[in-house]
């Protein structure tokens, strides 16, 4: 026998269940918002919007940089999510601006319940005006003069090491190979030639030769015997 009061009771229970789930998700998101904001003090504003109440959407605002407050309405992006369930879940690194004109980089993350409905949005607004001078200073610090072209005027390595490298590569090329592709006997012969020409008198010669030939330094010394 059909009993409409039982159907109404069932619908009411489902609504209560959904409401409890939504509230649980928002409470969990609050923890994330607070933690993120406190991790980047003075730099990144974190706002949790309750999209179930667009007129009073801001539920948490941590590290406040925009001058808004809990209970303020949703932004245009929040309203767009409410209006269209197909709206992207994440909008990342889009340009934005604080009310006083400071540039910002923002990311907005939509939060859905098990029914697939947007119930909240977690928004991060990074104050890039703080970072821009740092980025400029770093760019100036690593910049080099363009009038010299791409080729360096000098190499900040021991000149003797550069000459040794060139010699090893030349000797290998005469044998029709690269230093690493030489046979063991050819490597031994090459090392003995270098030793006889006095290359081992230079600092770190054995290490340089070992790296070029792809062998250990101990092997290089054994080749000299």
């Amino acid at each position: 026998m059909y009993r409409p009061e039982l159907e109404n009771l069932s619908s009411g229970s489902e609504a209560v269940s959904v409401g409890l789930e939504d509230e649980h998700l928002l409470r969990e998101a609050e923890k994330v918002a607070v933690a993120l904001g406190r991790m980047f003090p003075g730099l990144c504003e974190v706002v949790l919007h309750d999209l179930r109440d667009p007129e009073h959407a801001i539920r948490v605002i941590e590290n406040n940089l925009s001058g808004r407050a809990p209970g303020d309405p949703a932004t245009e992006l929040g309203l767009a999510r409410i209006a269209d369930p197909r709206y992207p879940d994440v909008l990342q690194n889009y340009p934005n601006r604080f009310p006083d004109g400071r540039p910002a980089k923002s990311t907005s993350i939509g939060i859905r319940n098990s029914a697939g409905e947007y119930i909240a949005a977690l928004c991060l607004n990074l104050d890039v005006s703080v970072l821009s001078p740092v980025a400029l200073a770093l760019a100036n610090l690593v910049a080099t003069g363009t009038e010299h072209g791409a080729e360096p005027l000098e190499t900040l390595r021991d000149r003797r090491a550069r000459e040794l490298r060139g010699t090893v590569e030349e000797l290998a090329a005469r044998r029709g190979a690269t230093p690493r592709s030489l046979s063991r006997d050819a490597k031994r012969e090459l090392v003995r030639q270098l030793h006889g020409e006095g290359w081992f008198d230079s600092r770190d010669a054995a290490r340089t030769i070992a790296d070029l030939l792809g062998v250990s330094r101990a092997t290089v010394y054994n080749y000299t015997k």
Side-chain angles (χ1 to χ4, degrees), residues 7-72:
E7 181 177 328
N8 293 337
L9 181 60
S10 176
S11 299
S13 298
E14 290 176 2
V16 169
S17 177
V18 170
L20 290 174
E21 178 201 10
D22 292 353
E23 189 60 31
H24 173 73
L25 287 172
L26 280 159
R27 285 198 304 269
E28 292 300 302
E30 283 182 12
K31 300 176 188 177
V32 177
V34 171
L36 285 175
R38 293 180 181 177
M39 187 173 182
F40 303 103
L43 188 62
C44 185
E45 175 185 81
V46 184
V47 187
L48 178 63
H49 297 269
D50 184 346
L51 299 183
R52 303 171 304 173
D53 186 8
E55 292 300 318
H56 309 91
I58 294 182
R59 178 153 171 160
V60 172
I61 182 164
E62 189 69 28
N63 197 23
N64 194 333
L65 299 175
S66 62
R68 292 174 294 172
D72 282 357

Side-chain angles (χ1 to χ4, degrees), residues 159-181:
R159 182 184 176 192
R160 184 75 169 169
R162 298 202 309 273
E163 294 172 349
L164 174 57
R165 177 181 292 274
T167 299
V168 171
E169 291 174 346
E170 181 183 349
L171 292 175
R174 290 178 187 175
R175 294 166 169 80
T178 63
R180 284 179 174 257
S181 66

Side-chain angles (χ1 to χ4, degrees), residues 44-207:
C44 185
E45 175 185 81
V46 184
V47 187
L48 178 63
H49 297 269
D50 184 346
L51 299 183
R52 303 171 304 173
D53 186 8
E55 292 300 318
H56 309 91
I58 294 182
R59 178 153 171 160
V60 172
I61 182 164
E62 189 69 28
N63 197 23
N64 194 333
L65 299 175
S66 62
R68 292 174 294 172
D72 282 357
T75 63
E76 296 87 348
L77 195 153
L79 295 176
R81 273 209 173 96
I82 295 170
D84 185 2
R86 296 169 300 176
Y87 203 83
D89 287 321
V90 178
L91 289 179
Q92 194 156 17
N93 297 333
Y94 59 91
N96 212 335
R97 194 166 293 275
F98 290 110
D100 60 4
R102 285 173 297 160
K105 182 171 76 169
S106 298
T107 291
S108 177
I109 306 165
I111 299 173
R112 300 176 186 264
N113 60 16
S114 59
E117 301 167 336
Y118 279 122
I119 61 164
L122 183 65
C123 300
L124 294 82
N125 303 308
L126 182 69
D127 184 358
V128 297
S129 70
V130 177
L131 300 176
S132 295
V134 177
L136 179 60
L138 290 174
N140 289 334
L141 184 64
V142 302
T144 57
T146 57
E147 66 271 18
H148 303 300
E151 291 299 320
L153 297 181
E154 62 178 349
T155 300
L156 299 179
R157 294 179 56 192
D158 180 28
R159 182 184 176 192
R160 184 75 169 169
R162 298 202 309 273
E163 294 172 349
L164 174 57
R165 177 181 292 274
T167 299
V168 171
E169 291 174 346
E170 181 183 349
L171 292 175
R174 290 178 187 175
R175 294 166 169 80
T178 63
R180 284 179 174 257
S181 66
L182 290 169
S183 67
R184 183 191 309 178
D185 289 341
K187 289 179 180 179
R188 179 182 291 108
E189 180 184 345
L190 185 149
V191 169
R192 287 177 176 173
Q193 181 176 347
L194 293 171
H195 188 262
E197 293 176 358
W199 285 100
F200 279 75
D201 296 338
S202 65
R203 179 171 57 88
D204 293 332
R207 168 54 61 193

